[in-house]
Amino acid sequence: MADQGSGLGLVKSLAGVIGTNEASLSLLLGILAGYPLAFFQRRFLFGKSAALHHVYFALTGLAILFANFGTDILHHVICVFTNYLLMRVIGPKVLSVQLAFLFNMGYLLAGYYYCASTTYDVMWTTPHCVMTLRLIGLVTDYYDGGKDPAKQSADQKKLGLTRLPTLLEVAGHSFHFGGVLVGPQFPMRRYLDMIEGKLTDNSEGKRPDCVVPALKRMALGLAYTVVFAVLNGYYYEEYMTEPTFFELPWLQKYLFVLIWGKVFLYKYVGVWLLAEGSCILSSLTYNGRDERGNALWDACANIKLRKYEMVMSFQDVIDSFNINTNKWCAHYVYKRLKFLNNRMLSQVSTLVFLSVWHGYHSGYYACLFLELVYVNAEKQAHDLLKVSPLVSSVVRHPVIRPVLQVSLKLVLLAHLGYPLVPFGLLKSAKWWQVHKSLYFTGHWPFLLFWAAAPFLKKLLKPAVSDKEGVKITKETKSE
């Protein structure tokens, strides 16, 4: 963090009292600042001009960034202005998207290179990785909006921009206090809808009734943050590099990794919930109504909390965690790789992009590689059930089914922490030793099953007799 003088003395002292570092506490306070700022917007700016809102969001977001990173906010300003120039000078063309991608990712990676360390540090690159996706998405949406409507996908019609946003709109969108530090991601169209008063649960011109939903998310966010702060004193990643960890029995090491992984993710859950709450309070997250007519404020939710805590599959974890980043990657990367005509290649390319976006550390690549392995091994298991009546009948047996469900849940829990070890320790010299001490039991069973699954499907698929084949052929022809 950039030195801000004696003004941060209180933050430094408070960080020491609660057992965290100054940069992390300052980041948390910056996220919490979104609540009084959103209350001010709601109380004094409601119904006022769009320009006033843009200026307010731009200045308050910059103030939060300056309080955390000092003059390093110039990096964010440079990138926002450059992306605006790309849209204005080049227009809604493929070239503008290509240049935006290269410039934003290049700037972020240069920042990672010059700020590199052996641990995860909170610095200007922390919010800038969020802004990188937002700016690439902005330029891409402008390009999509300029396409022939007949060539637009449903998502592109929904998110595409049919006009060039003003510099003030781009600044307000980029620096909105609810998403400037840790996200969530939200497109320019949603931001403009909020400014125009379209994101509301009433048609009478009243202020949106979103205070209670916002405070609920804040309470949950604080609860998860406190739980993380307490448990992190016992389950912290650096312990896995100490000799005492390697002296533990295999099962005890695995249990530590399991619990540590859960605790490790709570810090993300906590800050995402807190950030989401301030977005709700500014009415950015309105998402229509449910079947009972209740207003939904979950458009920017980055975590489906109930599903996340009750996951029954690896796919459930992905579907419930870091939702907005996953949606962003699906819309701006994965779906645009259709020309590869290969889902696996598109999936691998998307995960490589995500790894590069996180940084240079090998731990990011190792973690996302295991995500690929786990999800595809799980998919192969589901496919095996579909092609084999024998396997399907066995797993659905009333005696076997509950035992199998418990076993699968234990396998899932046991392997939630394992792939996070590289993500937490970053350097291969550290995480490799941990996985080695666990005999790579989170690797080889899944890799073997994934490789063997096609042969198992052929082996277990019921054979079709010649008579049945002829009968099916005749029926097909008659149809």
Side-chain angles (χ1 to χ4, degrees), residues 44 49 52 57 68 110 117 153 193 211 221 236 263-264 278 296 328 397 448 471:
F44 298 104
S49 70
L52 188 59
F57 290 132
N68 277 270
S117 69
S153 68
D193 284 347
V211 175
Y236 52 95
V263 173
F264 178 75
S278 66
L296 297 172
W328 191 98
H397 191 279
L448 283 176
K471 183 179 179 182

Side-chain angles (χ1 to χ4, degrees), residues 240-256:
M240 292 184 288
T241 65
E242 297 175 5
T244 50
F245 172 80
F246 294 100
E247 293 170 1
L248 296 173
W250 178 87
L251 182 59
Q252 199 169 337
K253 281 186 288 191
Y254 228 110
L255 287 173
F256 179 90

Side-chain angles (χ1 to χ4, degrees), residues 182 267-277 302-303 321-323:
V182 295
K267 66 179 176 182
Y268 294 99
V269 175
V271 296
W272 287 341
L273 288 170
L274 291 172
E276 183 193 347
N302 218 18
I303 181 86
F321 188 83
N322 206 3
I323 298 168

Side-chain angles (χ1 to χ4, degrees), residues 230-244:
V230 172
L231 294 181
N232 190 55
Y234 302 94
Y235 298 94
Y236 52 95
E237 52 263 30
E238 287 303 319
Y239 176 70
M240 292 184 288
T241 65
E242 297 175 5
T244 50

Side-chain angles (χ1 to χ4, degrees), residues 15-26:
V17 170
I18 64 178
T20 187
N21 60 71
E22 183 182 345
S24 297
L25 180 59
S26 183

Side-chain angles (χ1 to χ4, degrees), residues 79-241:
C79 289
V80 168
F81 187 67
T82 301
N83 281 270
Y84 172 74
L85 282 181
L86 284 175
M87 293 188 292
R88 185 167 186 82
V89 174
I90 300 175
K93 299 184 179 354
V94 173
L95 179 61
S96 62
V97 176
Q98 293 170 336
L99 290 176
F101 187 94
L102 291 173
F103 171 77
N104 288 295
M105 287 299 293
Y107 202 105
L108 177 66
L109 291 173
Y112 286 153
Y113 179 80
Y114 287 107
C115 300
S117 69
T118 58
T119 58
Y120 186 84
D121 300 315
V122 176
M123 55 184 65
W124 69 269
T125 54
T126 302
H128 198 74
C129 68
V130 176
M131 186 166 289
T132 295
L133 298 190
R134 186 166 298 156
L135 292 173
I136 292 174
L138 170 65
V139 178
T140 307
D141 288 341
Y142 183 47
Y143 162 70
D144 288 340
K147 286 181 179 178
D148 181 346
K151 296 181 179 179
Q152 292 175 328
S153 68
D155 285 341
Q156 290 169 1
K157 289 178 181 178
K158 182 180 178 182
L159 302 179
L161 299 170
T162 55
R163 66 169 178 84
L164 174 68
T166 67
L167 180 58
L168 203 53
E169 288 172 334
V170 172
H173 170 243
S174 301
F175 296 117
H176 185 282
F177 53 74
V180 74
L181 289 176
V182 295
Q185 293 294 340
F186 51 87
M188 174 64 87
R189 279 287 289 270
R190 171 161 289 277
Y191 172 78
L192 293 177
D193 284 347
M194 178 196 67
I195 297 295
E196 294 168 11
K198 296 179 181 179
L199 300 183
T200 182
D201 59 343
N202 68 79
S203 57
E204 296 83 25
K206 299 178 182 178
R207 290 178 176 83
D209 187 15
C210 54
V211 175
V212 172
L215 294 179
K216 284 181 178 178
R217 295 312 258 185
M218 182 182 75
L220 283 169
L222 289 172
Y224 272 89
T225 302
V226 169
V227 170
F228 167 74
V230 172
L231 294 181
N232 190 55
Y234 302 94
Y235 298 94
Y236 52 95
E237 52 263 30
E238 287 303 319
Y239 176 70
M240 292 184 288
T241 65

Side-chain angles (χ1 to χ4, degrees), residues 22-34:
E22 183 182 345
S24 297
L25 180 59
S26 183
L27 185 78
L28 179 61
L29 293 175
I31 296 170
L32 289 172

